[in-house]
Amino acid sequence: MASTERITVTLPADILAAIRTEAEGNVSAYTAKALKAQAVRDAAARLAEWQATYGREQIEDLQALTLDALDALPGGER
């Protein structure tokens, strides 16, 4: 099980009411799921920006280097 930490957040009352309605009694799980989804969207946006900056050729070079590194591991040969 993943470790957890307790935090305090302040939300507008109407948003909290909507969360409580949708959360089926588990506001923490609902909030964690929403924050995880946002973190994935943020990471995808950063990846898209990186891809736009460096272009397809550099991405293919990076993929080749990754495969070469995996091949170098014991039992990693293709």
mmCIF file of all heavy atoms in Angstrom, residues 11-66:
data_model
loop_
_atom_site.group_PDB
_atom_site.id
_atom_site.type_symbol
_atom_site.label_atom_id
_atom_site.label_comp_id
_atom_site.label_asym_id
_atom_site.label_seq_id
_atom_site.Cartn_x
_atom_site.Cartn_y
_atom_site.Cartn_z
ATOM 1 N N LEU A 11 -11.356 24.882 -0.173
ATOM 2 C CA LEU A 11 -12.096 24.855 -1.428
ATOM 3 C C LEU A 11 -13.343 25.711 -1.309
ATOM 4 O O LEU A 11 -13.914 25.831 -0.218
ATOM 5 C CB LEU A 11 -12.524 23.418 -1.765
ATOM 6 C CG LEU A 11 -11.432 22.385 -1.970
ATOM 7 C CD1 LEU A 11 -12.035 20.997 -2.062
ATOM 8 C CD2 LEU A 11 -10.651 22.705 -3.225
ATOM 9 N N PRO A 12 -13.798 26.231 -2.426
ATOM 10 C CA PRO A 12 -15.096 26.903 -2.405
ATOM 11 C C PRO A 12 -16.181 25.910 -1.981
ATOM 12 O O PRO A 12 -16.123 24.722 -2.336
ATOM 13 C CB PRO A 12 -15.294 27.364 -3.850
ATOM 14 C CG PRO A 12 -13.907 27.426 -4.422
ATOM 15 C CD PRO A 12 -13.145 26.330 -3.728
ATOM 16 N N ALA A 13 -17.152 26.378 -1.233
ATOM 17 C CA ALA A 13 -18.190 25.505 -0.682
ATOM 18 C C ALA A 13 -18.948 24.742 -1.753
ATOM 19 O O ALA A 13 -19.263 23.558 -1.574
ATOM 20 C CB ALA A 13 -19.157 26.319 0.169
ATOM 21 N N ASP A 14 -19.228 25.383 -2.882
ATOM 22 C CA ASP A 14 -19.986 24.706 -3.934
ATOM 23 C C ASP A 14 -19.183 23.566 -4.570
ATOM 24 O O ASP A 14 -19.733 22.512 -4.895
ATOM 25 C CB ASP A 14 -20.470 25.691 -4.994
ATOM 26 C CG ASP A 14 -19.340 26.452 -5.678
ATOM 27 O OD1 ASP A 14 -18.272 26.657 -5.055
ATOM 28 O OD2 ASP A 14 -19.528 26.868 -6.847
ATOM 29 N N ILE A 15 -17.884 23.754 -4.703
ATOM 30 C CA ILE A 15 -17.046 22.685 -5.251
ATOM 31 C C ILE A 15 -16.968 21.527 -4.276
ATOM 32 O O ILE A 15 -17.089 20.357 -4.659
ATOM 33 C CB ILE A 15 -15.648 23.213 -5.607
ATOM 34 C CG1 ILE A 15 -15.763 24.192 -6.778
ATOM 35 C CG2 ILE A 15 -14.691 22.065 -5.947
ATOM 36 C CD1 ILE A 15 -14.475 24.868 -7.149
ATOM 37 N N LEU A 16 -16.802 21.815 -2.999
ATOM 38 C CA LEU A 16 -16.754 20.750 -1.997
ATOM 39 C C LEU A 16 -18.073 19.985 -1.953
ATOM 40 O O LEU A 16 -18.075 18.752 -1.856
ATOM 41 C CB LEU A 16 -16.413 21.325 -0.620
ATOM 42 C CG LEU A 16 -16.306 20.312 0.503
ATOM 43 C CD1 LEU A 16 -15.275 19.226 0.176
ATOM 44 C CD2 LEU A 16 -15.961 21.003 1.808
ATOM 45 N N ALA A 17 -19.183 20.693 -2.074
ATOM 46 C CA ALA A 17 -20.492 20.017 -2.077
ATOM 47 C C ALA A 17 -20.594 19.071 -3.272
ATOM 48 O O ALA A 17 -21.076 17.931 -3.138
ATOM 49 C CB ALA A 17 -21.614 21.045 -2.109
ATOM 50 N N ALA A 18 -20.116 19.510 -4.436
ATOM 51 C CA ALA A 18 -20.155 18.655 -5.627
ATOM 52 C C ALA A 18 -19.261 17.432 -5.442
ATOM 53 O O ALA A 18 -19.640 16.315 -5.813
ATOM 54 C CB ALA A 18 -19.734 19.453 -6.855
ATOM 55 N N ILE A 19 -18.085 17.634 -4.852
ATOM 56 C CA ILE A 19 -17.175 16.516 -4.604
ATOM 57 C C ILE A 19 -17.812 15.516 -3.657
ATOM 58 O O ILE A 19 -17.774 14.306 -3.890
ATOM 59 C CB ILE A 19 -15.830 17.022 -4.046
ATOM 60 C CG1 ILE A 19 -15.062 17.783 -5.136
ATOM 61 C CG2 ILE A 19 -14.989 15.868 -3.500
ATOM 62 C CD1 ILE A 19 -13.835 18.519 -4.629
ATOM 63 N N ARG A 20 -18.399 16.010 -2.595
ATOM 64 C CA ARG A 20 -19.034 15.101 -1.625
ATOM 65 C C ARG A 20 -20.150 14.292 -2.279
ATOM 66 O O ARG A 20 -20.330 13.111 -1.971
ATOM 67 C CB ARG A 20 -19.565 15.895 -0.436
ATOM 68 C CG ARG A 20 -18.469 16.332 0.491
ATOM 69 C CD ARG A 20 -19.016 17.010 1.736
ATOM 70 N NE ARG A 20 -17.940 17.218 2.700
ATOM 71 C CZ ARG A 20 -17.805 18.305 3.424
ATOM 72 N NH1 ARG A 20 -18.681 19.299 3.332
ATOM 73 N NH2 ARG A 20 -16.810 18.412 4.271
ATOM 74 N N THR A 21 -20.884 14.921 -3.181
ATOM 75 C CA THR A 21 -21.958 14.216 -3.883
ATOM 76 C C THR A 21 -21.386 13.109 -4.768
ATOM 77 O O THR A 21 -21.889 11.986 -4.789
ATOM 78 C CB THR A 21 -22.775 15.198 -4.749
ATOM 79 O OG1 THR A 21 -23.374 16.172 -3.897
ATOM 80 C CG2 THR A 21 -23.845 14.487 -5.542
ATOM 81 N N GLU A 22 -20.316 13.416 -5.487
ATOM 82 C CA GLU A 22 -19.727 12.465 -6.429
ATOM 83 C C GLU A 22 -18.842 11.420 -5.763
ATOM 84 O O GLU A 22 -18.663 10.332 -6.291
ATOM 85 C CB GLU A 22 -18.905 13.210 -7.488
ATOM 86 C CG GLU A 22 -19.723 14.099 -8.386
ATOM 87 C CD GLU A 22 -20.744 13.328 -9.211
ATOM 88 O OE1 GLU A 22 -20.438 12.202 -9.648
ATOM 89 O OE2 GLU A 22 -21.843 13.863 -9.412
ATOM 90 N N ALA A 23 -18.279 11.746 -4.598
ATOM 91 C CA ALA A 23 -17.264 10.897 -3.969
ATOM 92 C C ALA A 23 -17.820 9.665 -3.285
ATOM 93 O O ALA A 23 -17.054 8.786 -2.883
ATOM 94 C CB ALA A 23 -16.459 11.715 -2.963
ATOM 95 N N GLU A 24 -19.101 9.574 -3.134
ATOM 96 C CA GLU A 24 -19.726 8.422 -2.481
ATOM 97 C C GLU A 24 -19.094 8.139 -1.122
ATOM 98 O O GLU A 24 -18.787 6.997 -0.776
ATOM 99 C CB GLU A 24 -19.662 7.196 -3.384
ATOM 100 C CG GLU A 24 -20.402 7.379 -4.687
ATOM 101 C CD GLU A 24 -20.288 6.201 -5.630
ATOM 102 O OE1 GLU A 24 -19.553 5.231 -5.327
ATOM 103 O OE2 GLU A 24 -20.929 6.252 -6.689
ATOM 104 N N GLY A 25 -18.832 9.206 -0.356
ATOM 105 C CA GLY A 25 -18.335 9.043 1.005
ATOM 106 C C GLY A 25 -16.827 9.011 1.154
ATOM 107 O O GLY A 25 -16.326 8.981 2.266
ATOM 108 N N ASN A 26 -16.073 9.031 0.056
ATOM 109 C CA ASN A 26 -14.619 8.975 0.171
ATOM 110 C C ASN A 26 -14.000 10.158 -0.568
ATOM 111 O O ASN A 26 -13.496 10.032 -1.679
ATOM 112 C CB ASN A 26 -14.086 7.649 -0.366
ATOM 113 C CG ASN A 26 -12.645 7.420 0.047
ATOM 114 O OD1 ASN A 26 -11.928 8.345 0.408
ATOM 115 N ND2 ASN A 26 -12.219 6.174 -0.016
ATOM 116 N N VAL A 27 -14.044 11.311 0.086
ATOM 117 C CA VAL A 27 -13.522 12.539 -0.509
ATOM 118 C C VAL A 27 -12.020 12.410 -0.770
ATOM 119 O O VAL A 27 -11.514 12.887 -1.786
ATOM 120 C CB VAL A 27 -13.844 13.760 0.383
ATOM 121 C CG1 VAL A 27 -13.152 15.017 -0.122
ATOM 122 C CG2 VAL A 27 -15.356 13.974 0.440
ATOM 123 N N SER A 28 -11.304 11.754 0.114
ATOM 124 C CA SER A 28 -9.855 11.596 -0.071
ATOM 125 C C SER A 28 -9.535 10.825 -1.339
ATOM 126 O O SER A 28 -8.672 11.237 -2.128
ATOM 127 C CB SER A 28 -9.232 10.891 1.134
ATOM 128 O OG SER A 28 -9.294 11.721 2.268
ATOM 129 N N ALA A 29 -10.203 9.707 -1.566
ATOM 130 C CA ALA A 29 -9.949 8.905 -2.763
ATOM 131 C C ALA A 29 -10.337 9.674 -4.021
ATOM 132 O O ALA A 29 -9.618 9.649 -5.028
ATOM 133 C CB ALA A 29 -10.710 7.587 -2.699
ATOM 134 N N TYR A 30 -11.461 10.367 -3.966
ATOM 135 C CA TYR A 30 -11.911 11.155 -5.105
ATOM 136 C C TYR A 30 -10.892 12.239 -5.442
ATOM 137 O O TYR A 30 -10.516 12.434 -6.602
ATOM 138 C CB TYR A 30 -13.270 11.785 -4.788
ATOM 139 C CG TYR A 30 -13.866 12.582 -5.924
ATOM 140 C CD1 TYR A 30 -14.709 11.980 -6.853
ATOM 141 C CD2 TYR A 30 -13.588 13.935 -6.075
ATOM 142 C CE1 TYR A 30 -15.263 12.703 -7.893
ATOM 143 C CE2 TYR A 30 -14.130 14.661 -7.122
ATOM 144 C CZ TYR A 30 -14.972 14.046 -8.021
ATOM 145 O OH TYR A 30 -15.507 14.766 -9.058
ATOM 146 N N THR A 31 -10.406 12.927 -4.423
ATOM 147 C CA THR A 31 -9.445 14.007 -4.610
ATOM 148 C C THR A 31 -8.117 13.459 -5.124
ATOM 149 O O THR A 31 -7.511 14.022 -6.040
ATOM 150 C CB THR A 31 -9.241 14.774 -3.292
ATOM 151 O OG1 THR A 31 -10.520 15.245 -2.836
ATOM 152 C CG2 THR A 31 -8.312 15.947 -3.466
ATOM 153 N N ALA A 32 -7.660 12.350 -4.560
ATOM 154 C CA ALA A 32 -6.409 11.747 -5.014
ATOM 155 C C ALA A 32 -6.507 11.352 -6.485
ATOM 156 O O ALA A 32 -5.572 11.574 -7.267
ATOM 157 C CB ALA A 32 -6.061 10.535 -4.157
ATOM 158 N N LYS A 33 -7.637 10.790 -6.882
ATOM 159 C CA LYS A 33 -7.834 10.394 -8.279
ATOM 160 C C LYS A 33 -7.810 11.618 -9.195
ATOM 161 O O LYS A 33 -7.183 11.595 -10.262
ATOM 162 C CB LYS A 33 -9.162 9.645 -8.422
ATOM 163 C CG LYS A 33 -9.436 9.132 -9.806
ATOM 164 C CD LYS A 33 -10.750 8.359 -9.843
ATOM 165 C CE LYS A 33 -11.069 7.888 -11.241
ATOM 166 N NZ LYS A 33 -12.357 7.175 -11.287
ATOM 167 N N ALA A 34 -8.463 12.685 -8.781
ATOM 168 C CA ALA A 34 -8.491 13.910 -9.587
ATOM 169 C C ALA A 34 -7.102 14.523 -9.703
ATOM 170 O O ALA A 34 -6.693 14.962 -10.784
ATOM 171 C CB ALA A 34 -9.467 14.912 -8.976
ATOM 172 N N LEU A 35 -6.361 14.541 -8.604
ATOM 173 C CA LEU A 35 -5.013 15.112 -8.640
ATOM 174 C C LEU A 35 -4.063 14.256 -9.467
ATOM 175 O O LEU A 35 -3.205 14.776 -10.185
ATOM 176 C CB LEU A 35 -4.485 15.299 -7.220
ATOM 177 C CG LEU A 35 -5.200 16.374 -6.399
ATOM 178 C CD1 LEU A 35 -4.717 16.347 -4.960
ATOM 179 C CD2 LEU A 35 -5.016 17.743 -7.016
ATOM 180 N N LYS A 36 -4.213 12.941 -9.394
ATOM 181 C CA LYS A 36 -3.379 12.057 -10.203
ATOM 182 C C LYS A 36 -3.663 12.279 -11.681
ATOM 183 O O LYS A 36 -2.738 12.355 -12.498
ATOM 184 C CB LYS A 36 -3.646 10.597 -9.823
ATOM 185 C CG LYS A 36 -2.775 9.612 -10.557
ATOM 186 C CD LYS A 36 -3.043 8.198 -10.059
ATOM 187 C CE LYS A 36 -2.120 7.199 -10.713
ATOM 188 N NZ LYS A 36 -2.354 5.836 -10.215
ATOM 189 N N ALA A 37 -4.929 12.403 -12.053
ATOM 190 C CA ALA A 37 -5.295 12.653 -13.446
ATOM 191 C C ALA A 37 -4.701 13.978 -13.929
ATOM 192 O O ALA A 37 -4.193 14.067 -15.053
ATOM 193 C CB ALA A 37 -6.813 12.651 -13.607
ATOM 194 N N GLN A 38 -4.722 14.998 -13.082
ATOM 195 C CA GLN A 38 -4.144 16.284 -13.461
ATOM 196 C C GLN A 38 -2.634 16.181 -13.615
ATOM 197 O O GLN A 38 -2.054 16.759 -14.533
ATOM 198 C CB GLN A 38 -4.494 17.372 -12.443
ATOM 199 C CG GLN A 38 -3.984 18.748 -12.836
ATOM 200 C CD GLN A 38 -4.587 19.245 -14.138
ATOM 201 O OE1 GLN A 38 -5.791 19.202 -14.324
ATOM 202 N NE2 GLN A 38 -3.744 19.704 -15.051
ATOM 203 N N ALA A 39 -1.986 15.428 -12.745
ATOM 204 C CA ALA A 39 -0.538 15.242 -12.843
ATOM 205 C C ALA A 39 -0.171 14.548 -14.156
ATOM 206 O O ALA A 39 0.829 14.903 -14.798
ATOM 207 C CB ALA A 39 -0.022 14.445 -11.641
ATOM 208 N N VAL A 40 -0.973 13.581 -14.580
ATOM 209 C CA VAL A 40 -0.731 12.894 -15.851
ATOM 210 C C VAL A 40 -0.909 13.871 -17.010
ATOM 211 O O VAL A 40 -0.099 13.895 -17.948
ATOM 212 C CB VAL A 40 -1.652 11.666 -15.999
ATOM 213 C CG1 VAL A 40 -1.616 11.106 -17.417
ATOM 214 C CG2 VAL A 40 -1.267 10.597 -14.986
ATOM 215 N N ARG A 41 -1.963 14.696 -16.972
ATOM 216 C CA ARG A 41 -2.162 15.691 -18.029
ATOM 217 C C ARG A 41 -1.002 16.673 -18.082
ATOM 218 O O ARG A 41 -0.516 17.028 -19.168
ATOM 219 C CB ARG A 41 -3.483 16.446 -17.816
ATOM 220 C CG ARG A 41 -4.720 15.608 -18.130
ATOM 221 C CD ARG A 41 -5.982 16.446 -18.134
ATOM 222 N NE ARG A 41 -6.313 17.005 -16.842
ATOM 223 C CZ ARG A 41 -7.039 16.400 -15.906
ATOM 224 N NH1 ARG A 41 -7.523 15.197 -16.128
ATOM 225 N NH2 ARG A 41 -7.293 16.996 -14.758
ATOM 226 N N ASP A 42 -0.514 17.109 -16.911
ATOM 227 C CA ASP A 42 0.621 18.033 -16.867
ATOM 228 C C ASP A 42 1.872 17.397 -17.472
ATOM 229 O O ASP A 42 2.599 18.026 -18.242
ATOM 230 C CB ASP A 42 0.908 18.469 -15.429
ATOM 231 C CG ASP A 42 -0.198 19.335 -14.839
ATOM 232 O OD1 ASP A 42 -1.048 19.843 -15.608
ATOM 233 O OD2 ASP A 42 -0.217 19.495 -13.596
ATOM 234 N N ALA A 43 2.125 16.134 -17.121
ATOM 235 C CA ALA A 43 3.293 15.427 -17.658
ATOM 236 C C ALA A 43 3.167 15.244 -19.167
ATOM 237 O O ALA A 43 4.148 15.386 -19.900
ATOM 238 C CB ALA A 43 3.461 14.075 -16.958
ATOM 239 N N ALA A 44 1.974 14.945 -19.643
ATOM 240 C CA ALA A 44 1.759 14.781 -21.086
ATOM 241 C C ALA A 44 2.007 16.095 -21.820
ATOM 242 O O ALA A 44 2.591 16.106 -22.911
ATOM 243 C CB ALA A 44 0.343 14.274 -21.363
ATOM 244 N N ALA A 45 1.589 17.196 -21.218
ATOM 245 C CA ALA A 45 1.833 18.505 -21.833
ATOM 246 C C ALA A 45 3.326 18.808 -21.895
ATOM 247 O O ALA A 45 3.825 19.315 -22.907
ATOM 248 C CB ALA A 45 1.095 19.591 -21.063
ATOM 249 N N ARG A 46 4.055 18.482 -20.818
ATOM 250 C CA ARG A 46 5.511 18.685 -20.824
ATOM 251 C C ARG A 46 6.177 17.806 -21.872
ATOM 252 O O ARG A 46 7.097 18.238 -22.563
ATOM 253 C CB ARG A 46 6.104 18.415 -19.441
ATOM 254 C CG ARG A 46 5.849 19.526 -18.444
ATOM 255 C CD ARG A 46 6.695 19.386 -17.183
ATOM 256 N NE ARG A 46 6.590 18.089 -16.543
ATOM 257 C CZ ARG A 46 5.621 17.727 -15.695
ATOM 258 N NH1 ARG A 46 4.663 18.571 -15.392
ATOM 259 N NH2 ARG A 46 5.619 16.534 -15.160
ATOM 260 N N LEU A 47 5.718 16.568 -22.007
ATOM 261 C CA LEU A 47 6.267 15.667 -23.018
ATOM 262 C C LEU A 47 6.005 16.204 -24.420
ATOM 263 O O LEU A 47 6.901 16.210 -25.263
ATOM 264 C CB LEU A 47 5.685 14.261 -22.878
ATOM 265 C CG LEU A 47 6.112 13.248 -23.935
ATOM 266 C CD1 LEU A 47 7.629 13.068 -23.939
ATOM 267 C CD2 LEU A 47 5.407 11.926 -23.718
ATOM 268 N N ALA A 48 4.801 16.674 -24.676
ATOM 269 C CA ALA A 48 4.467 17.230 -25.991
ATOM 270 C C ALA A 48 5.337 18.451 -26.286
ATOM 271 O O ALA A 48 5.822 18.612 -27.417
ATOM 272 C CB ALA A 48 2.986 17.601 -26.048
ATOM 273 N N GLU A 49 5.562 19.280 -25.282
ATOM 274 C CA GLU A 49 6.425 20.454 -25.459
ATOM 275 C C GLU A 49 7.857 20.018 -25.763
ATOM 276 O O GLU A 49 8.514 20.563 -26.648
ATOM 277 C CB GLU A 49 6.384 21.315 -24.205
ATOM 278 C CG GLU A 49 7.196 22.586 -24.307
ATOM 279 C CD GLU A 49 7.108 23.434 -23.053
ATOM 280 O OE1 GLU A 49 6.067 23.413 -22.375
ATOM 281 O OE2 GLU A 49 8.108 24.111 -22.750
ATOM 282 N N TRP A 50 8.330 19.000 -25.047
ATOM 283 C CA TRP A 50 9.685 18.487 -25.275
ATOM 284 C C TRP A 50 9.793 17.934 -26.687
ATOM 285 O O TRP A 50 10.754 18.189 -27.392
ATOM 286 C CB TRP A 50 10.008 17.427 -24.233
ATOM 287 C CG TRP A 50 11.402 16.896 -24.343
ATOM 288 C CD1 TRP A 50 12.523 17.410 -23.770
ATOM 289 C CD2 TRP A 50 11.832 15.748 -25.089
ATOM 290 N NE1 TRP A 50 13.628 16.650 -24.100
ATOM 291 C CE2 TRP A 50 13.227 15.629 -24.915
ATOM 292 C CE3 TRP A 50 11.178 14.815 -25.879
ATOM 293 C CZ2 TRP A 50 13.971 14.618 -25.499
ATOM 294 C CZ3 TRP A 50 11.922 13.800 -26.472
ATOM 295 C CH2 TRP A 50 13.306 13.715 -26.276
ATOM 296 N N GLN A 51 8.783 17.180 -27.110
ATOM 297 C CA GLN A 51 8.805 16.601 -28.454
ATOM 298 C C GLN A 51 8.798 17.693 -29.518
ATOM 299 O O GLN A 51 9.494 17.587 -30.519
ATOM 300 C CB GLN A 51 7.604 15.664 -28.647
ATOM 301 C CG GLN A 51 7.738 14.372 -27.872
ATOM 302 C CD GLN A 51 6.495 13.514 -27.947
ATOM 303 O OE1 GLN A 51 5.379 14.022 -28.003
ATOM 304 N NE2 GLN A 51 6.676 12.208 -27.927
ATOM 305 N N ALA A 52 8.014 18.739 -29.297
ATOM 306 C CA ALA A 52 7.962 19.842 -30.260
ATOM 307 C C ALA A 52 9.290 20.580 -30.310
ATOM 308 O O ALA A 52 9.716 21.046 -31.371
ATOM 309 C CB ALA A 52 6.832 20.800 -29.890
ATOM 310 N N THR A 53 9.964 20.667 -29.180
ATOM 311 C CA THR A 53 11.235 21.380 -29.108
ATOM 312 C C THR A 53 12.349 20.596 -29.781
ATOM 313 O O THR A 53 13.151 21.149 -30.526
ATOM 314 C CB THR A 53 11.615 21.650 -27.641
ATOM 315 O OG1 THR A 53 10.591 22.439 -27.038
ATOM 316 C CG2 THR A 53 12.938 22.366 -27.529
ATOM 317 N N TYR A 54 12.402 19.309 -29.532
ATOM 318 C CA TYR A 54 13.535 18.517 -29.996
ATOM 319 C C TYR A 54 13.287 17.769 -31.296
ATOM 320 O O TYR A 54 14.219 17.281 -31.909
ATOM 321 C CB TYR A 54 13.990 17.554 -28.889
ATOM 322 C CG TYR A 54 14.568 18.317 -27.733
ATOM 323 C CD1 TYR A 54 13.825 18.530 -26.583
ATOM 324 C CD2 TYR A 54 15.835 18.855 -27.805
ATOM 325 C CE1 TYR A 54 14.346 19.259 -25.528
ATOM 326 C CE2 TYR A 54 16.366 19.588 -26.757
ATOM 327 C CZ TYR A 54 15.610 19.784 -25.621
ATOM 328 O OH TYR A 54 16.126 20.517 -24.586
ATOM 329 N N GLY A 55 12.057 17.644 -31.722
ATOM 330 C CA GLY A 55 11.764 17.037 -33.007
ATOM 331 C C GLY A 55 11.850 15.524 -33.006
ATOM 332 O O GLY A 55 12.396 14.889 -32.110
ATOM 333 N N ARG A 56 11.313 14.948 -34.061
ATOM 334 C CA ARG A 56 11.205 13.489 -34.171
ATOM 335 C C ARG A 56 12.572 12.817 -34.286
ATOM 336 O O ARG A 56 12.785 11.738 -33.737
ATOM 337 C CB ARG A 56 10.332 13.148 -35.389
ATOM 338 C CG ARG A 56 10.012 11.696 -35.498
ATOM 339 C CD ARG A 56 9.045 11.279 -34.425
ATOM 340 N NE ARG A 56 9.094 9.840 -34.265
ATOM 341 C CZ ARG A 56 8.796 9.211 -33.147
ATOM 342 N NH1 ARG A 56 8.399 9.874 -32.101
ATOM 343 N NH2 ARG A 56 8.864 7.921 -33.074
ATOM 344 N N GLU A 57 13.508 13.432 -34.977
ATOM 345 C CA GLU A 57 14.820 12.799 -35.169
ATOM 346 C C GLU A 57 15.525 12.585 -33.827
ATOM 347 O O GLU A 57 16.066 11.504 -33.574
ATOM 348 C CB GLU A 57 15.692 13.648 -36.086
ATOM 349 C CG GLU A 57 17.019 13.003 -36.413
ATOM 350 C CD GLU A 57 17.829 13.829 -37.398
ATOM 351 O OE1 GLU A 57 17.247 14.317 -38.388
ATOM 352 O OE2 GLU A 57 19.036 13.977 -37.168
ATOM 353 N N GLN A 58 15.503 13.585 -32.970
ATOM 354 C CA GLN A 58 16.150 13.436 -31.672
ATOM 355 C C GLN A 58 15.432 12.410 -30.806
ATOM 356 O O GLN A 58 16.056 11.681 -30.053
ATOM 357 C CB GLN A 58 16.215 14.789 -30.940
ATOM 358 C CG GLN A 58 17.241 15.738 -31.497
ATOM 359 C CD GLN A 58 16.756 16.502 -32.730
ATOM 360 O OE1 GLN A 58 15.628 16.350 -33.156
ATOM 361 N NE2 GLN A 58 17.627 17.296 -33.311
ATOM 362 N N ILE A 59 14.118 12.338 -30.933
ATOM 363 C CA ILE A 59 13.351 11.351 -30.171
ATOM 364 C C ILE A 59 13.727 9.937 -30.627
ATOM 365 O O ILE A 59 13.937 9.037 -29.815
ATOM 366 C CB ILE A 59 11.837 11.603 -30.314
ATOM 367 C CG1 ILE A 59 11.477 12.935 -29.633
ATOM 368 C CG2 ILE A 59 11.028 10.454 -29.723
ATOM 369 C CD1 ILE A 59 10.095 13.430 -29.941
ATOM 370 N N GLU A 60 13.855 9.756 -31.945
ATOM 371 C CA GLU A 60 14.259 8.449 -32.464
ATOM 372 C C GLU A 60 15.670 8.094 -32.009
ATOM 373 O O GLU A 60 15.949 6.939 -31.682
ATOM 374 C CB GLU A 60 14.139 8.433 -33.985
ATOM 375 C CG GLU A 60 12.697 8.432 -34.448
ATOM 376 C CD GLU A 60 12.535 8.644 -35.945
ATOM 377 O OE1 GLU A 60 13.537 8.851 -36.645
ATOM 378 O OE2 GLU A 60 11.378 8.606 -36.400
ATOM 379 N N ASP A 61 16.567 9.100 -31.958
ATOM 380 C CA ASP A 61 17.924 8.864 -31.457
ATOM 381 C C ASP A 61 17.878 8.431 -29.992
ATOM 382 O O ASP A 61 18.581 7.506 -29.587
ATOM 383 C CB ASP A 61 18.791 10.118 -31.592
ATOM 384 C CG ASP A 61 19.146 10.458 -33.033
ATOM 385 O OD1 ASP A 61 18.952 9.587 -33.916
ATOM 386 O OD2 ASP A 61 19.597 11.587 -33.265
ATOM 387 N N LEU A 62 17.041 9.095 -29.205
ATOM 388 C CA LEU A 62 16.914 8.748 -27.784
ATOM 389 C C LEU A 62 16.358 7.334 -27.626
ATOM 390 O O LEU A 62 16.835 6.561 -26.794
ATOM 391 C CB LEU A 62 16.017 9.765 -27.066
ATOM 392 C CG LEU A 62 15.781 9.541 -25.583
ATOM 393 C CD1 LEU A 62 17.096 9.543 -24.807
ATOM 394 C CD2 LEU A 62 14.836 10.587 -25.031
ATOM 395 N N GLN A 63 15.385 6.976 -28.447
ATOM 396 C CA GLN A 63 14.828 5.629 -28.385
ATOM 397 C C GLN A 63 15.892 4.591 -28.741
ATOM 398 O O GLN A 63 15.975 3.538 -28.102
ATOM 399 C CB GLN A 63 13.626 5.508 -29.321
ATOM 400 C CG GLN A 63 12.413 6.258 -28.831
ATOM 401 C CD GLN A 63 11.291 6.316 -29.851
ATOM 402 O OE1 GLN A 63 11.512 6.190 -31.056
ATOM 403 N NE2 GLN A 63 10.077 6.529 -29.366
ATOM 404 N N ALA A 64 16.711 4.883 -29.732
ATOM 405 C CA ALA A 64 17.782 3.957 -30.125
ATOM 406 C C ALA A 64 18.788 3.798 -28.993
ATOM 407 O O ALA A 64 19.232 2.679 -28.693
ATOM 408 C CB ALA A 64 18.469 4.453 -31.389
ATOM 409 N N LEU A 65 19.144 4.923 -28.340
ATOM 410 C CA LEU A 65 20.065 4.842 -27.209
ATOM 411 C C LEU A 65 19.472 4.020 -26.069
ATOM 412 O O LEU A 65 20.170 3.240 -25.420
ATOM 413 C CB LEU A 65 20.407 6.252 -26.704
ATOM 414 C CG LEU A 65 21.316 7.084 -27.594
ATOM 415 C CD1 LEU A 65 21.374 8.526 -27.087
ATOM 416 C CD2 LEU A 65 22.707 6.481 -27.655
ATOM 417 N N THR A 66 18.175 4.177 -25.848
ATOM 418 C CA THR A 66 17.501 3.414 -24.796
ATOM 419 C C THR A 66 17.551 1.924 -25.112
ATOM 420 O O THR A 66 17.856 1.100 -24.238
ATOM 421 C CB THR A 66 16.045 3.884 -24.649
ATOM 422 O OG1 THR A 66 16.041 5.269 -24.333
ATOM 423 C CG2 THR A 66 15.311 3.110 -23.561
#
